[in-house]
Amino acid sequence: MLRKRGSAILCGVFLFVAWNAIVVLYLWGRPLPGREEMDGGRGGADLAGDVIHMAEAFEAELEMQRKILLQIQGHRSLWEQPNENGASRIGPPQVVIPILVIACNRVTVKRCLDKLLEYRPSAELYPIIVSQDCGHAETAQVIGSYGSQVTHLKQPDLSDIAVRPEHKKFQGYYKISRHYRWALNQVFNSLSHSSVVIVEDDLEVAPDFFEYFRSLHPILKSDLSLWCVSAWNDNGRDGYVDPGKADLLYRTDFFPGLGWMMLKELWVELEPKWPGAFWDDWMRQPDQRRDRACIRPEISRTLTFGRKGVSLGQFYDKYLRYIKLNSEFVPFTKLDLAYLKEEKYKEIFEKQVYSAHLVKYEEVQRGQLKGAGPFCLHYSSKDGFKVLAKNLGVMEDLKSGVPRTGYRGVVSFLSRGRRIFLAPPPGWSKYDPTWS
């Protein structure tokens, strides 16, 4: 589509130049004044009429040229894109970022797709691919009702997977992992995309969902210390995030999932060793993470509405149903996000954490904090972290030693309107995988 529009613009420019050339040739071919004898003495009157006619033609032509130039100017954004400094430059079309919706047997996938289509700024730049497992006819009918607005893929292998007897109750997790592998191979290998944003059929997206991922794609591409961008904050419940900081972004060592972007290069690395089940926890293991981080927001750009699933509502009633979904559109593509690069971010973040006023849990619990903050609360053991996290109302589980939302062991959240950093003592060096 962009190529066709670009061709139309070039044709407009060609017609604009060609018409002016014809006008010039026409003027050169006009007889010179003073040769009235050739037309019986009526040359003066005819010449005056010709001049008036030509003036009218010029006026009409100028109006047409003005319209053509306005059209060219209006389509200029199709062949311009910002450079690294934010200035516009002529260049190739922007990268296409497909949205992969993982679906199974939830007819409520309609809620997910309706929001994606409502907020999607461009069908060309953000094709929506729905990959359905399970063979559920009613869900397939819902997906099919969107016609050409989405691409509907159907996972062909619906058979049970041979598992150890003690894992029979986890059959659903095995099928999910198989589906992810098949769907991602379709996106990267069959459809030849270079990146993808993955959502599941029980996620609702925020108004700036597409803007968020578009802005962070260049950083994910250029910073090798990153391996994903997530729309999710595990501790993003109302009251635990700053509603005035919708533009605030973090690095995190914890793989959040729940609406996340990856590049094809990562899939080439992960696909050969993709696990049979529990793919998300597998992603959080040191052998996969390899000390890489993800970017996540202060306020989530996705909200899960699917209590029922293979996890049987684990965490949903206590945490997930209360996650705050961002409602303010943040123009991320116009912001300077260079602070998220590893070395700069690490320096700024650690200075902010360890220069914060050190407090005790009792002071936080009793509301005895003085000043606006931020404040720092230390933990030095797995049990110490779990007790503090539970009492403060943030998620206490650890995966391979990494706390949810943690960066270099630090968990950031609000408590009674004040910023709290739940952090290891200064000098932290690495996670302990036995803390799980």
Side-chain angles (χ1 to χ4, degrees):
M1 182 64 72
L2 295 177
R3 186 176 298 173
K4 289 180 180 178
R5 291 180 182 175
S7 299
I9 294 171
L10 293 176
C11 287
V13 174
F14 175 79
L15 290 173
F16 177 81
V17 174
W19 178 258
N20 281 278
I22 292 171
V23 170
V24 171
L25 290 174
Y26 173 73
L27 290 174
W28 280 352
R30 292 288 300 168
L32 295 173
R35 299 182 62 183
E36 297 85 359
E37 67 276 12
M38 296 182 64
D39 56 10
R42 296 190 302 274
D46 288 348
L47 180 60
D50 285 348
V51 170
I52 293 173
H53 177 74
M54 186 176 292
E56 292 173 346
F58 266 120
E59 184 177 358
E61 178 58 29
L62 287 173
E63 177 62 20
M64 186 175 75
Q65 292 177 13
R66 186 184 70 84
K67 290 180 179 179
I68 292 174
L69 288 173
L70 287 175
Q71 289 178 348
I72 294 172
Q73 184 178 11
H75 288 84
R76 187 176 178 84
S77 61
L78 293 175
W79 56 7
E80 285 186 353
Q81 63 180 21
N83 61 21
E84 294 180 353
N85 297 319
S88 294
R89 63 176 173 82
I90 302 297
Q94 297 185 58
V95 64
V96 173
I97 305 177
I99 312 300
L100 173 62
V101 181
I102 299 292
C104 181
N105 58 1
R106 290 189 180 107
V107 294
T108 50
V109 67
K110 176 176 171 56
R111 177 174 169 182
C112 172
L113 293 176
D114 283 347
K115 286 299 181 182
L116 284 170
L117 291 169
E118 178 183 351
Y119 298 136
R120 180 173 68 170
S122 166
E124 292 86 1
L125 294 178
Y126 306 98
I128 296 174
I129 303 164
V130 186
S131 181
Q132 185 190 0
D133 199 3
C134 307
H136 191 250
E138 290 82 357
T139 301
Q141 187 175 5
V142 170
I143 299 168
S145 69
Y146 289 90
S148 61
Q149 295 182 93
V150 306
T151 298
H152 186 187
L153 305 178
K154 297 181 180 180
Q155 204 281 107
D157 185 0
L158 304 181
S159 63
D160 282 342
I161 300 172
V163 299
R164 303 194 306 271
E166 64 271 23
H167 271 213
K168 280 189 176 181
K169 62 182 178 180
F170 300 131
Q171 181 73 214
Y173 289 102
Y174 281 86
K175 290 185 176 181
I176 288 173
S177 191
R178 176 177 66 185
H179 184 197
Y180 263 84
R181 186 177 203 159
W182 182 86
L184 288 169
N185 275 328
Q186 296 304 304
V187 169
F188 290 125
N189 299 332
S190 299
L191 299 176
S192 301
H193 289 293
S194 61
S195 63
V196 68
V197 174
I198 305 162
V199 300
E200 295 191 1
D201 54 3
D202 62 347
L203 289 183
E204 179 180 328
V205 303
D208 57 355
F209 174 86
F210 295 94
E211 174 81 359
Y212 173 77
F213 283 108
R214 169 69 56 184
S215 70
L216 292 168
H217 183 276
I219 295 177
L220 179 62
K221 188 80 174 172
S222 62
D223 188 345
L224 297 181
S225 69
L226 292 172
W227 71 324
C228 90
V229 174
S230 174
W232 182 257
N233 176 0
D234 275 298
N235 290 315
R237 289 183 293 157
D238 203 3
Y240 287 78
V241 294
D242 189 339
K245 294 290 181 65
D247 61 339
L248 181 58
L249 306 178
Y250 297 83
R251 292 176 69 101
T252 176
D253 299 319
F254 190 89
F255 172 72
L258 292 172
W260 59 287
M261 178 166 61
M262 69 183 297
L263 302 178
K264 183 176 182 178
E265 291 86 343
L266 179 61
W267 182 240
V268 170
E269 172 192 328
L270 298 179
E271 195 273 342
K273 56 178 181 175
W274 192 250
F278 311 108
W279 69 269
D280 48 351
D281 282 343
W282 175 83
M283 290 274 288
R284 292 160 182 153
Q285 294 173 2
D287 287 347
Q288 280 65 252
R289 190 173 69 81
R290 292 169 48 193
D291 293 327
R292 292 173 292 194
C294 294
I295 295 174
R296 60 97 174 170
E298 168 78 357
I299 304 178
S300 289
R301 264 59 186 186
T302 53
L303 173 71
T304 178
F305 54 84
R307 184 183 185 278
K308 295 182 179 179
V310 293
S311 63
L312 302 178
Q314 183 186 26
F315 297 131
Y316 186 83
D317 290 328
K318 187 174 181 180
Y319 296 105
L320 305 185
R321 66 183 299 180
Y322 302 109
I323 294 293
K324 178 179 175 62
L325 180 66
N326 181 61
S327 59
E328 173 189 345
F329 187 93
V330 177
F332 282 111
T333 56
K334 297 181 180 178
L335 302 182
D336 182 4
L337 303 179
Y339 71 91
L340 292 167
K341 293 294 185 79
E342 183 179 31
E343 289 306 315
K344 188 171 185 179
Y345 184 89
K346 177 183 173 183
E347 179 183 355
I348 294 173
F349 185 77
E350 289 192 338
K351 182 177 181 180
Q352 184 182 26
V353 171
Y354 292 107
S355 64
H357 182 59
L358 185 62
V359 295
K360 297 179 180 179
Y361 166 70
E362 291 75 17
E363 296 176 84
V364 180
Q365 182 188 39
R366 296 169 185 167
Q368 297 176 340
L369 300 179
K370 297 179 181 180
F375 301 94
C376 189
L377 189 61
H378 283 173
Y379 68 88
S380 56
S381 67
K382 177 181 75 172
D383 291 339
F385 171 82
K386 285 180 170 289
V387 169
L388 288 172
K390 183 176 181 178
N391 290 338
L392 290 167
V394 297
M395 296 190 77
E396 69 231 46
D397 63 320
L398 302 120
K399 303 291 184 180
S400 297
V402 185
R404 291 181 185 268
T405 76
Y407 178 70
R408 298 186 63 78
V410 181
V411 175
S412 173
F413 59 95
L414 286 194
S415 178
R416 301 183 184 184
R418 292 178 170 87
R419 177 65 59 185
I420 303 293
F421 295 119
L422 183 55
W428 180 95
S429 59
K430 62 181 180 179
Y431 292 104
D432 184 347
T434 65
W435 287 24
S436 294

